[in-house]
Amino acid sequence: MTIRFDNSYARLPDTFYARQAPVPVAQPEVVALNRPLARELGIDPEALTAGMLAGNEVPEGAEPLAQLYAGHQFGNFVPQLGDGRAILLGEVLDTNGNRRDIQLKGSGRTPFSRGGDGRAWLGPVLREYVVSEAMHALGIPTTRALAAVTTGEDVYRETVLPGAVLTRVAASHLRVGTFQVFASRGQTDALRDLTAHAIARHAPDAQGPLDLLSAVVDRQARLIADWMSVGFIHGVMNTDNMAISGETIDYGPCAFMDAYHPNTVFSSIDQMGRYAYQNQPNMAVWNLAQLASALLPLIDDDQDAAIEAAEDRLHAFPDIFGDAWIAKFRAKIGLTTEEAGDGALVQGLLSRMAASGADFTNTFRALATGDASAHFTEDGAWESWAPEWRARLERQGSDGRDTMLTANPAIIPRNHRIEEAIQAGVSGDFGPFHKLNEVLAKPFTESPETEDFATPPRPEERVMRTFCGT
Ligand code: AMP
Ligand code: MG
């Protein structure tokens, strides 16, 4: 067997999914294969063929299925979503003993496709590959990209585009929306089975639904702090795009900020700024409240008691997030000790950066490596902050340089670089895509060779809008 599958999800009752094979494509060709990840999964990378990665051949032991879920999209509940363009091939136990899902994305229609074609075009496949692997290199929990293949088929969006399939690896594809679908249908038995499955996979110490909720609250609070610390904007934090595992999932119109502003939004479909950079912690709480609400029937027969208990668990979010956030931002300004005024010191820097439109990544990096003052266009902005910062470093007795160099990446997946790699890829040149992956694999390493990738976009290169991965 090429892949040693052990498919726990497929053993759940068939209310959880629709068995569905991927739909074969005309001419699969491998664009990228993540060999280290394959080995980590206990798979010989040489055995992974283009046909397998496109869904043309279903590997032995796979039990392909489309998962059912629901979700709040921009605040509106959609009772049934589900994998409309993805197929879960199955699960493996990786070389560390961790259970991992292997999923094809862009693999054809399923019973949950609604009006969609079940396909993906090359752009979002390359984007998810680049950004998810970059997140991993930054040390942030995320789904991974095992492979990208082109299909040799056209996909019809606003124009005719080349089709592609991404192989995604995840701790699981359980979402807040997976709980919502059964809760909204009043299927309490399914909800109970799902909760047991989620506990086994993601919170083995949990004694029941409340502990599971706490585990998810904890992971999401830390995850959002991680995102904030690198200027990441998810873009579509719908409840179907929030993983129970605490991994970043569903890289659609996501983006890393260049110029810092707390209200930054990229997604073309987020006109109200619901998922703006600064709003992400609030939206995470909102989503977690939906999870809590879905779990209520399992918590207590007395609904008021159930609500009170769930709210109590939800209320842990602000402190966990606040602690994780300040720990990240202390490190970003080189602080290795704690003082009460640290939060205000960080906010003082951020508000000056916002006023100057300073590059988020490069300004923090320059605190250790260069002349940070050059990033401030407002007269006296830097000068009114730096002395207090220097005095604070002096009090801790170290310059904090090493701390800053490991907390502040030099290279992030900048939008204009991703767009450039996609455009080249569409015309058949995957050189820029491979180069980008190579550079992003070492985000904390600067060299003259990588300087171009650390440079913010010129005005004409700026990407103002990002689009959903359909
Ligand atoms: P997303 O906003 O990308 O998380 O997707 C939301 C829902 O739309 C999910 O149920 C997807 O499976 C479905 N979907 C997105 N694109 C397609 C497509 N091209 N064909 C079928 N379903 C899709
Ligand atoms: Mg999604």
Side-chain angles (χ1 to χ4, degrees), residues 172-227:
S172 84
H173 284 85
L174 303 179
R175 307 147 190 272
V176 170
T178 320
F179 288 82
Q180 289 181 286
V181 77
F182 299 120
S184 71
R185 292 176 180 185
Q187 295 178 332
T188 309
D189 287 342
L191 197 58
R192 198 171 282 115
D193 288 342
L194 178 64
T195 301
H197 180 84
I199 287 176
R201 288 183 83 159
H202 301 303
D205 298 331
Q207 297 297 313
L210 281 173
D211 287 355
L212 175 64
L213 177 60
S214 286
V216 183
V217 166
D218 183 85
R219 275 182 216 160
Q220 286 294 336
R222 291 169 201 279
L223 178 66
I224 308 299
D226 283 346
W227 290 357

CSV table of all heavy atoms in Angstrom, one decimal, residues 172-227:
chain,number,residue,atom,x,y,z
A,172,SER,N,-7.5,17.5,11.2
A,172,SER,CA,-8.8,17.0,10.8
A,172,SER,C,-9.5,18.1,10.1
A,172,SER,O,-9.0,19.2,10.1
A,172,SER,CB,-9.7,16.6,12.0
A,172,SER,OG,-10.4,17.7,12.6
A,173,HIS,N,-10.6,17.8,9.4
A,173,HIS,CA,-11.4,18.8,8.8
A,173,HIS,C,-12.7,19.1,9.6
A,173,HIS,O,-13.7,19.6,9.0
A,173,HIS,CB,-11.7,18.4,7.3
A,173,HIS,CG,-10.5,18.6,6.4
A,173,HIS,ND1,-9.6,17.6,6.3
A,173,HIS,CD2,-10.1,19.6,5.7
A,173,HIS,CE1,-8.6,18.1,5.4
A,173,HIS,NE2,-9.0,19.3,5.0
A,174,LEU,N,-12.7,18.8,10.9
A,174,LEU,CA,-13.8,19.1,11.7
A,174,LEU,C,-13.9,20.6,11.9
A,174,LEU,O,-12.9,21.2,12.2
A,174,LEU,CB,-13.7,18.4,13.1
A,174,LEU,CG,-13.6,16.9,13.1
A,174,LEU,CD1,-13.4,16.5,14.6
A,174,LEU,CD2,-14.7,16.3,12.4
A,175,ARG,N,-15.0,21.2,11.7
A,175,ARG,CA,-15.2,22.6,11.7
A,175,ARG,C,-16.3,23.0,12.8
A,175,ARG,O,-17.1,22.1,13.1
A,175,ARG,CB,-15.7,23.2,10.4
A,175,ARG,CG,-14.8,22.7,9.2
A,175,ARG,CD,-15.6,22.5,7.9
A,175,ARG,NE,-14.8,21.9,6.9
A,175,ARG,CZ,-14.1,22.5,6.0
A,175,ARG,NH1,-14.1,23.9,6.0
A,175,ARG,NH2,-13.3,21.9,5.1
A,176,VAL,N,-16.3,24.2,13.2
A,176,VAL,CA,-17.5,24.6,14.0
A,176,VAL,C,-18.8,24.3,13.2
A,176,VAL,O,-19.7,23.7,13.8
A,176,VAL,CB,-17.4,26.2,14.3
A,176,VAL,CG1,-18.7,26.7,14.9
A,176,VAL,CG2,-16.2,26.5,15.2
A,177,GLY,N,-18.8,24.4,11.9
A,177,GLY,CA,-19.9,24.1,11.1
A,177,GLY,C,-20.3,22.7,11.1
A,177,GLY,O,-21.5,22.3,10.8
A,178,THR,N,-19.4,21.8,11.4
A,178,THR,CA,-19.7,20.4,11.4
A,178,THR,C,-20.6,20.1,12.6
A,178,THR,O,-21.6,19.3,12.6
A,178,THR,CB,-18.4,19.5,11.6
A,178,THR,OG1,-17.4,20.0,10.7
A,178,THR,CG2,-18.7,18.1,11.2
A,179,PHE,N,-20.4,20.8,13.7
A,179,PHE,CA,-21.3,20.7,14.9
A,179,PHE,C,-22.6,21.3,14.6
A,179,PHE,O,-23.7,20.9,15.0
A,179,PHE,CB,-20.6,21.3,16.1
A,179,PHE,CG,-19.5,20.5,16.6
A,179,PHE,CD1,-18.2,20.5,16.1
A,179,PHE,CD2,-19.6,19.6,17.7
A,179,PHE,CE1,-17.2,19.7,16.5
A,179,PHE,CE2,-18.6,18.8,18.1
A,179,PHE,CZ,-17.4,18.9,17.6
A,180,GLN,N,-22.6,22.5,13.9
A,180,GLN,CA,-23.8,23.2,13.7
A,180,GLN,C,-24.8,22.4,12.8
A,180,GLN,O,-26.0,22.6,13.0
A,180,GLN,CB,-23.4,24.5,13.0
A,180,GLN,CG,-22.8,25.5,13.9
A,180,GLN,CD,-22.5,26.8,13.2
A,180,GLN,OE1,-21.6,26.9,12.3
A,180,GLN,NE2,-23.3,27.9,13.5
A,181,VAL,N,-24.3,21.7,11.9
A,181,VAL,CA,-25.2,21.0,11.0
A,181,VAL,C,-26.1,20.0,11.8
A,181,VAL,O,-27.3,20.0,11.6
A,181,VAL,CB,-24.5,20.3,9.8
A,181,VAL,CG1,-23.8,19.0,10.1
A,181,VAL,CG2,-25.5,20.1,8.6
A,182,PHE,N,-25.5,19.3,12.7
A,182,PHE,CA,-26.3,18.3,13.5
A,182,PHE,C,-27.2,19.0,14.5
A,182,PHE,O,-28.3,18.6,14.8
A,182,PHE,CB,-25.4,17.2,14.1
A,182,PHE,CG,-24.7,16.5,13.0
A,182,PHE,CD1,-23.3,16.5,13.0
A,182,PHE,CD2,-25.4,15.8,12.0
A,182,PHE,CE1,-22.6,15.8,12.0
A,182,PHE,CE2,-24.7,15.1,11.0
A,182,PHE,CZ,-23.3,15.1,11.0
A,183,ALA,N,-26.6,20.1,15.1
A,183,ALA,CA,-27.4,20.8,16.2
A,183,ALA,C,-28.6,21.4,15.5
A,183,ALA,O,-29.7,21.3,16.1
A,183,ALA,CB,-26.5,21.9,16.8
A,184,SER,N,-28.4,22.0,14.3
A,184,SER,CA,-29.6,22.7,13.7
A,184,SER,C,-30.6,21.7,13.2
A,184,SER,O,-31.8,22.1,13.1
A,184,SER,CB,-29.1,23.6,12.6
A,184,SER,OG,-28.7,22.8,11.5
A,185,ARG,N,-30.2,20.5,13.0
A,185,ARG,CA,-31.2,19.5,12.6
A,185,ARG,C,-31.8,18.7,13.7
A,185,ARG,O,-32.6,17.7,13.6
A,185,ARG,CB,-30.5,18.5,11.6
A,185,ARG,CG,-30.2,19.1,10.3
A,185,ARG,CD,-29.4,18.1,9.5
A,185,ARG,NE,-29.0,18.6,8.2
A,185,ARG,CZ,-28.5,18.0,7.2
A,185,ARG,NH1,-28.2,16.7,7.3
A,185,ARG,NH2,-28.1,18.6,6.1
A,186,GLY,N,-31.3,19.0,14.9
A,186,GLY,CA,-31.8,18.3,16.1
A,186,GLY,C,-31.3,16.9,16.2
A,186,GLY,O,-32.0,16.0,16.8
A,187,GLN,N,-30.2,16.6,15.5
A,187,GLN,CA,-29.7,15.2,15.5
A,187,GLN,C,-28.7,15.0,16.7
A,187,GLN,O,-27.5,15.1,16.5
A,187,GLN,CB,-29.0,14.9,14.2
A,187,GLN,CG,-30.0,14.9,13.0
A,187,GLN,CD,-29.4,14.6,11.7
A,187,GLN,OE1,-28.2,15.0,11.4
A,187,GLN,NE2,-30.1,14.1,10.7
A,188,THR,N,-29.3,14.9,17.8
A,188,THR,CA,-28.4,14.8,19.0
A,188,THR,C,-27.5,13.6,19.1
A,188,THR,O,-26.4,13.7,19.6
A,188,THR,CB,-29.3,14.9,20.3
A,188,THR,OG1,-30.2,16.0,20.1
A,188,THR,CG2,-28.5,15.2,21.6
A,189,ASP,N,-28.0,12.5,18.6
A,189,ASP,CA,-27.1,11.3,18.6
A,189,ASP,C,-25.9,11.6,17.7
A,189,ASP,O,-24.7,11.2,18.1
A,189,ASP,CB,-27.8,10.1,18.0
A,189,ASP,CG,-28.9,9.6,19.1
A,189,ASP,OD1,-28.7,10.0,20.2
A,189,ASP,OD2,-29.8,8.8,18.7
A,190,ALA,N,-26.1,12.2,16.5
A,190,ALA,CA,-24.9,12.5,15.7
A,190,ALA,C,-24.0,13.5,16.3
A,190,ALA,O,-22.8,13.3,16.3
A,190,ALA,CB,-25.4,13.0,14.3
A,191,LEU,N,-24.6,14.4,17.0
A,191,LEU,CA,-23.8,15.4,17.7
A,191,LEU,C,-22.9,14.8,18.8
A,191,LEU,O,-21.8,15.1,19.0
A,191,LEU,CB,-24.8,16.4,18.3
A,191,LEU,CG,-24.3,17.8,18.8
A,191,LEU,CD1,-23.6,18.6,17.7
A,191,LEU,CD2,-25.4,18.6,19.4
A,192,ARG,N,-23.5,13.8,19.4
A,192,ARG,CA,-22.8,13.1,20.5
A,192,ARG,C,-21.6,12.3,19.9
A,192,ARG,O,-20.5,12.3,20.4
A,192,ARG,CB,-23.8,12.2,21.3
A,192,ARG,CG,-23.3,11.7,22.6
A,192,ARG,CD,-24.3,11.0,23.4
A,192,ARG,NE,-25.3,11.9,24.0
A,192,ARG,CZ,-26.6,12.0,23.7
A,192,ARG,NH1,-27.1,11.2,22.8
A,192,ARG,NH2,-27.4,12.8,24.3
A,193,ASP,N,-21.9,11.6,18.8
A,193,ASP,CA,-20.8,10.8,18.1
A,193,ASP,C,-19.7,11.8,17.6
A,193,ASP,O,-18.5,11.4,17.7
A,193,ASP,CB,-21.4,10.1,16.9
A,193,ASP,CG,-22.3,8.9,17.2
A,193,ASP,OD1,-22.2,8.5,18.4
A,193,ASP,OD2,-23.1,8.5,16.4
A,194,LEU,N,-20.1,12.9,17.1
A,194,LEU,CA,-19.1,13.9,16.6
A,194,LEU,C,-18.3,14.4,17.7
A,194,LEU,O,-17.1,14.5,17.6
A,194,LEU,CB,-19.9,15.0,15.9
A,194,LEU,CG,-19.0,16.1,15.3
A,194,LEU,CD1,-18.1,15.6,14.2
A,194,LEU,CD2,-19.8,17.3,14.8
A,195,THR,N,-18.9,14.7,18.8
A,195,THR,CA,-18.2,15.2,20.0
A,195,THR,C,-17.2,14.2,20.5
A,195,THR,O,-16.0,14.5,20.8
A,195,THR,CB,-19.2,15.6,21.1
A,195,THR,OG1,-20.0,16.6,20.6
A,195,THR,CG2,-18.5,16.2,22.3
A,196,ALA,N,-17.6,12.9,20.5
A,196,ALA,CA,-16.7,11.8,21.0
A,196,ALA,C,-15.5,11.7,20.0
A,196,ALA,O,-14.3,11.6,20.4
A,196,ALA,CB,-17.4,10.5,21.1
A,197,HIS,N,-15.8,11.8,18.7
A,197,HIS,CA,-14.8,11.7,17.7
A,197,HIS,C,-13.8,12.9,17.8
A,197,HIS,O,-12.6,12.7,17.7
A,197,HIS,CB,-15.5,11.8,16.3
A,197,HIS,CG,-14.5,11.7,15.1
A,197,HIS,ND1,-14.1,10.5,14.6
A,197,HIS,CD2,-14.0,12.7,14.4
A,197,HIS,CE1,-13.3,10.8,13.6
A,197,HIS,NE2,-13.2,12.1,13.4
A,198,ALA,N,-14.3,14.1,18.0
A,198,ALA,CA,-13.5,15.3,18.1
A,198,ALA,C,-12.6,15.2,19.4
A,198,ALA,O,-11.4,15.6,19.4
A,198,ALA,CB,-14.4,16.6,18.2
A,199,ILE,N,-13.2,14.7,20.5
A,199,ILE,CA,-12.4,14.6,21.7
A,199,ILE,C,-11.3,13.6,21.5
A,199,ILE,O,-10.1,13.9,21.9
A,199,ILE,CB,-13.4,14.2,22.9
A,199,ILE,CG1,-14.2,15.4,23.3
A,199,ILE,CG2,-12.5,13.7,24.1
A,199,ILE,CD1,-15.2,15.1,24.4
A,200,ALA,N,-11.6,12.5,20.9
A,200,ALA,CA,-10.5,11.5,20.7
A,200,ALA,C,-9.4,12.1,19.8
A,200,ALA,O,-8.2,11.8,20.1
A,200,ALA,CB,-11.1,10.3,20.0
A,201,ARG,N,-9.7,12.9,18.9
A,201,ARG,CA,-8.7,13.4,18.0
A,201,ARG,C,-8.0,14.6,18.5
A,201,ARG,O,-6.8,14.8,18.2
A,201,ARG,CB,-9.3,13.8,16.6
A,201,ARG,CG,-9.7,12.5,15.8
A,201,ARG,CD,-10.2,12.9,14.5
A,201,ARG,NE,-9.2,13.2,13.5
A,201,ARG,CZ,-9.4,13.1,12.2
A,201,ARG,NH1,-10.6,12.8,11.7
A,201,ARG,NH2,-8.4,13.3,11.3
A,202,HIS,N,-8.7,15.5,19.2
A,202,HIS,CA,-8.1,16.8,19.5
A,202,HIS,C,-8.1,17.2,21.0
A,202,HIS,O,-7.4,18.2,21.3
A,202,HIS,CB,-8.9,17.9,18.7
A,202,HIS,CG,-9.0,17.7,17.3
A,202,HIS,ND1,-7.8,17.6,16.5
A,202,HIS,CD2,-10.0,17.5,16.4
A,202,HIS,CE1,-8.1,17.4,15.3
A,202,HIS,NE2,-9.4,17.3,15.2
A,203,ALA,N,-8.7,16.4,21.8
A,203,ALA,CA,-8.7,16.8,23.2
A,203,ALA,C,-8.9,15.6,24.1
A,203,ALA,O,-9.8,15.5,24.8
A,203,ALA,CB,-9.8,17.8,23.5
A,204,PRO,N,-7.9,14.7,24.0
A,204,PRO,CA,-8.1,13.4,24.6
A,204,PRO,C,-8.3,13.4,26.1
A,204,PRO,O,-8.8,12.5,26.7
A,204,PRO,CB,-6.8,12.6,24.3
A,204,PRO,CG,-5.9,13.6,23.7
A,204,PRO,CD,-6.7,14.7,23.2
A,205,ASP,N,-7.9,14.5,26.7
A,205,ASP,CA,-8.1,14.7,28.2
A,205,ASP,C,-9.5,15.2,28.6
A,205,ASP,O,-9.8,15.2,29.7
A,205,ASP,CB,-7.0,15.6,28.8
A,205,ASP,CG,-5.6,15.0,28.6
A,205,ASP,OD1,-5.5,13.8,28.5
A,205,ASP,OD2,-4.7,15.8,28.5
A,206,ALA,N,-10.2,15.7,27.6
A,206,ALA,CA,-11.5,16.3,27.8
A,206,ALA,C,-12.5,15.3,28.4
A,206,ALA,O,-12.6,14.1,27.9
A,206,ALA,CB,-12.1,16.9,26.6
A,207,GLN,N,-13.3,15.7,29.4
A,207,GLN,CA,-14.2,14.8,30.1
A,207,GLN,C,-15.6,14.9,29.4
A,207,GLN,O,-16.5,14.1,29.8
A,207,GLN,CB,-14.4,15.2,31.5
A,207,GLN,CG,-13.1,15.0,32.3
A,207,GLN,CD,-12.6,13.6,32.4
A,207,GLN,OE1,-13.5,12.7,32.6
A,207,GLN,NE2,-11.4,13.3,32.1
A,208,GLY,N,-15.8,15.8,28.5
A,208,GLY,CA,-17.1,16.0,27.9
A,208,GLY,C,-17.1,17.2,27.0
A,208,GLY,O,-16.1,17.9,26.8
A,209,PRO,N,-18.3,17.6,26.6
A,209,PRO,CA,-18.5,18.7,25.6
A,209,PRO,C,-17.9,20.1,26.2
A,209,PRO,O,-17.3,20.8,25.4
A,209,PRO,CB,-20.0,18.8,25.4
A,209,PRO,CG,-20.6,18.0,26.4
A,209,PRO,CD,-19.6,17.0,26.9
A,210,LEU,N,-18.0,20.3,27.5
A,210,LEU,CA,-17.5,21.6,28.0
A,210,LEU,C,-16.0,21.7,27.9
A,210,LEU,O,-15.4,22.7,27.5
A,210,LEU,CB,-18.0,21.8,29.4
A,210,LEU,CG,-19.4,22.2,29.7
A,210,LEU,CD1,-19.8,22.2,31.1
A,210,LEU,CD2,-19.6,23.6,29.1
A,211,ASP,N,-15.4,20.5,28.2
A,211,ASP,CA,-13.9,20.5,28.1
A,211,ASP,C,-13.5,20.6,26.6
A,211,ASP,O,-12.4,21.3,26.4
A,211,ASP,CB,-13.3,19.2,28.7
A,211,ASP,CG,-13.4,19.2,30.2
A,211,ASP,OD1,-13.8,20.2,30.8
A,211,ASP,OD2,-13.1,18.2,30.8
A,212,LEU,N,-14.2,20.0,25.8
A,212,LEU,CA,-13.9,20.2,24.3
A,212,LEU,C,-14.0,21.6,23.9
A,212,LEU,O,-13.1,22.2,23.3
A,212,LEU,CB,-14.8,19.3,23.5
A,212,LEU,CG,-14.6,19.5,21.9
A,212,LEU,CD1,-13.2,19.0,21.5
A,212,LEU,CD2,-15.7,18.8,21.2
A,213,LEU,N,-15.1,22.3,24.4
A,213,LEU,CA,-15.2,23.7,24.1
A,213,LEU,C,-14.0,24.5,24.6
A,213,LEU,O,-13.5,25.3,23.9
A,213,LEU,CB,-16.5,24.2,24.7
A,213,LEU,CG,-16.8,25.7,24.6
A,213,LEU,CD1,-16.9,26.1,23.1
A,213,LEU,CD2,-18.1,26.1,25.3
A,214,SER,N,-13.6,24.2,25.8
A,214,SER,CA,-12.5,24.9,26.4
A,214,SER,C,-11.2,24.7,25.6
A,214,SER,O,-10.4,25.6,25.4
A,214,SER,CB,-12.2,24.4,27.8
A,214,SER,OG,-13.2,25.0,28.7
A,215,ALA,N,-11.0,23.5,25.1
A,215,ALA,CA,-9.8,23.2,24.3
A,215,ALA,C,-9.8,24.0,23.0
A,215,ALA,O,-8.8,24.5,22.6
A,215,ALA,CB,-9.7,21.7,24.0
A,216,VAL,N,-11.0,24.1,22.4
A,216,VAL,CA,-11.1,24.9,21.2
A,216,VAL,C,-10.9,26.4,21.4
A,216,VAL,O,-10.2,27.1,20.7
A,216,VAL,CB,-12.4,24.6,20.4
A,216,VAL,CG1,-12.4,25.3,19.1
A,216,VAL,CG2,-12.6,23.1,20.2
A,217,VAL,N,-11.5,26.8,22.5
A,217,VAL,CA,-11.3,28.3,22.9
A,217,VAL,C,-9.9,28.6,23.1
A,217,VAL,O,-9.3,29.5,22.5
A,217,VAL,CB,-12.1,28.6,24.2
A,217,VAL,CG1,-11.7,29.9,24.8
A,217,VAL,CG2,-13.6,28.6,23.9
A,218,ASP,N,-9.2,27.7,23.8
A,218,ASP,CA,-7.8,27.9,24.1
A,218,ASP,C,-7.0,28.0,22.8
A,218,ASP,O,-6.2,28.9,22.5
A,218,ASP,CB,-7.3,26.7,25.0
A,218,ASP,CG,-5.8,26.9,25.4
A,218,ASP,OD1,-5.6,27.6,26.4
A,218,ASP,OD2,-5.0,26.4,24.7
A,219,ARG,N,-7.2,27.0,21.9
A,219,ARG,CA,-6.4,26.9,20.7
A,219,ARG,C,-6.7,28.1,19.7
A,219,ARG,O,-5.8,28.6,19.1
A,219,ARG,CB,-6.7,25.6,19.9
A,219,ARG,CG,-5.8,24.6,20.5
A,219,ARG,CD,-6.0,23.3,19.8
A,219,ARG,NE,-5.9,22.2,20.8
A,219,ARG,CZ,-6.3,21.0,20.8
A,219,ARG,NH1,-7.0,20.7,19.7
A,219,ARG,NH2,-6.1,20.2,21.7
A,220,GLN,N,-8.0,28.4,19.6
A,220,GLN,CA,-8.3,29.5,18.7
A,220,GLN,C,-7.8,30.8,19.3
A,220,GLN,O,-7.3,31.7,18.5
A,220,GLN,CB,-9.8,29.6,18.5
A,220,GLN,CG,-10.3,28.5,17.6
A,220,GLN,CD,-9.8,28.6,16.2
A,220,GLN,OE1,-9.5,29.7,15.7
A,220,GLN,NE2,-9.8,27.5,15.4
A,221,ALA,N,-7.8,31.0,20.6
A,221,ALA,CA,-7.3,32.3,21.1
A,221,ALA,C,-5.8,32.4,20.8
A,221,ALA,O,-5.3,33.5,20.4
A,221,ALA,CB,-7.5,32.3,22.6
A,222,ARG,N,-5.1,31.3,21.0
A,222,ARG,CA,-3.6,31.4,20.7
A,222,ARG,C,-3.4,31.6,19.2
A,222,ARG,O,-2.4,32.3,18.8
A,222,ARG,CB,-2.9,30.1,21.1
A,222,ARG,CG,-2.9,30.0,22.6
A,222,ARG,CD,-2.4,28.6,23.0
A,222,ARG,NE,-2.8,28.3,24.4
A,222,ARG,CZ,-2.1,28.8,25.4
A,222,ARG,NH1,-1.0,29.4,25.3
A,222,ARG,NH2,-2.6,28.6,26.7
A,223,LEU,N,-4.2,30.9,18.4
A,223,LEU,CA,-4.0,31.0,16.9
A,223,LEU,C,-4.2,32.4,16.4
A,223,LEU,O,-3.5,32.9,15.6
A,223,LEU,CB,-5.0,30.0,16.2
A,223,LEU,CG,-5.0,30.0,14.7
A,223,LEU,CD1,-3.6,29.5,14.2
A,223,LEU,CD2,-6.1,29.3,14.1
A,224,ILE,N,-5.3,33.0,16.9
A,224,ILE,CA,-5.6,34.4,16.4
A,224,ILE,C,-4.4,35.3,16.9
A,224,ILE,O,-4.0,36.2,16.1
A,224,ILE,CB,-6.9,34.9,17.0
A,224,ILE,CG1,-8.1,34.0,16.7
A,224,ILE,CG2,-7.3,36.3,16.4
A,224,ILE,CD1,-8.4,33.6,15.2
A,225,ALA,N,-3.9,35.1,18.1
A,225,ALA,CA,-2.8,35.9,18.5
A,225,ALA,C,-1.6,35.7,17.6
A,225,ALA,O,-0.8,36.6,17.2
A,225,ALA,CB,-2.4,35.6,20.0
A,226,ASP,N,-1.4,34.5,17.2
A,226,ASP,CA,-0.3,34.2,16.2
A,226,ASP,C,-0.5,35.0,14.9
A,226,ASP,O,0.4,35.6,14.3
A,226,ASP,CB,-0.3,32.7,15.8
A,226,ASP,CG,0.4,31.8,16.9
A,226,ASP,OD1,1.0,32.4,17.8
A,226,ASP,OD2,0.2,30.6,16.8
A,227,TRP,N,-1.8,34.9,14.4
A,227,TRP,CA,-2.1,35.6,13.2
A,227,TRP,C,-1.8,37.1,13.3
A,227,TRP,O,-1.2,37.7,12.4
A,227,TRP,CB,-3.6,35.5,12.8
A,227,TRP,CG,-4.1,34.2,12.4
A,227,TRP,CD1,-3.4,33.0,12.2
A,227,TRP,CD2,-5.5,33.9,12.1
A,227,TRP,NE1,-4.2,32.0,11.8
A,227,TRP,CE2,-5.5,32.5,11.7
A,227,TRP,CE3,-6.7,34.6,12.1
A,227,TRP,CZ2,-6.7,31.9,11.3
A,227,TRP,CZ3,-7.8,34.0,11.7
A,227,TRP,CH2,-7.8,32.6,11.4
